[in-house]
Structure formats: C-alpha cells, structure tokens
Amino acid sequence: MFARAPVFAAVGTYVGTVLTERAWADCPLGVDASSGVGLVMGTMPAVWVLMTVAMLVTQLSLWALALPAPAVRCVLWLLPLAAVVFFTAVYRTGMQSPVVQPDGTCYEGYPPWPFQPKYHP
C-alpha cells in the first residue's frame, strides 16, 4: 500500500514538470535557458521527495482511518489519486507562467523553487 506513494509522487512530479516546461516553451529564458537544467536536475528531485513525503502522510492517515471500517477500501485508492492531482496542481501553480509581451518577447526565467519570484536577467 505504501509503495504507491513514491510512484504516485513520481508521476505527479513528472506531469507538473512537463506542464511547466510547456508553459515556458515560448520564452527564451524558459526551456532553452540554463535554468531549465536546474528545473530538471534540481527542483524536480526535491519536489519528488516532498511530494513522496506528503503522499506517505496522506496514505498513513487514510490507513489509520480505514482500520475500523474495512468497507472503505476504494477510498484508499481514490483519495491518494486525488491528493497527487492536488499536489501536482500546487507544484504547477507555484512554477508560474511567463509574461510574454505583445511583440513576442519574454525576459523571464523559471523561478528557482515553486512560489518564489521569477528569474530576471
């Protein structure tokens, strides 16, 4: 049961990173910038660890609640899936999107960590 946490967290982190890279694809300081490597090599593993811990806490609390009522076994699958979707949405929201000017220019880069200010050269 608890082996699902790292797998769910890996899928959530991957999806959040792919969505972030797609959002920043039109910005020269996004995917093509050196901070793009930092996103995959630095931010992504740290987010995976945090999401795994959050998923383990979620699954442990669900397991503790389900012990007296074995009829709610489907909740042990549905709530972790809902939790990973929520954590992925929080990760994606925290990585923000670039502001592309009307002429198509963009002078922002990825934030170094979710919910931090964007990089400005």
Side-chain angles (χ1 to χ4, degrees):
M1 176 176 137
F2 299 114
R4 289 181 280 195
V7 174
F8 284 1
V11 170
T13 303
Y14 176 76
V15 169
T17 302
V18 167
L19 293 175
T20 298
E21 287 183 345
R22 284 186 180 178
W24 285 85
D26 293 334
C27 192
L29 294 174
V31 178
D32 297 333
S34 61
S35 61
V37 173
L39 175 71
V40 174
M41 301 302 269
T43 305
M44 192 174 174
V47 168
W48 176 76
V49 168
L50 290 173
M51 199 178 294
T52 299
V53 170
M55 289 301 300
L56 282 172
V57 169
T58 301
Q59 287 185 330
L60 279 172
S61 60
L62 286 174
W63 177 72
L65 291 173
L67 281 178
V72 292
R73 298 262 184 225
C74 67
V75 173
L76 294 176
W77 276 95
L78 294 177
L79 285 180
L81 285 174
V84 80
V85 168
F86 172 74
F87 294 141
T88 301
V90 168
Y91 169 46
R92 175 59 201 103
T93 302
M95 291 307 287
Q96 308 168 29
S97 293
V99 177
V100 179
Q101 305 300 324
D103 63 354
T105 59
C106 175
Y107 299 105
E108 298 176 316
Y110 291 117
W113 188 250
F115 297 104
Q116 293 215 344
K118 298 175 197 171
Y119 170 74
H120 295 281

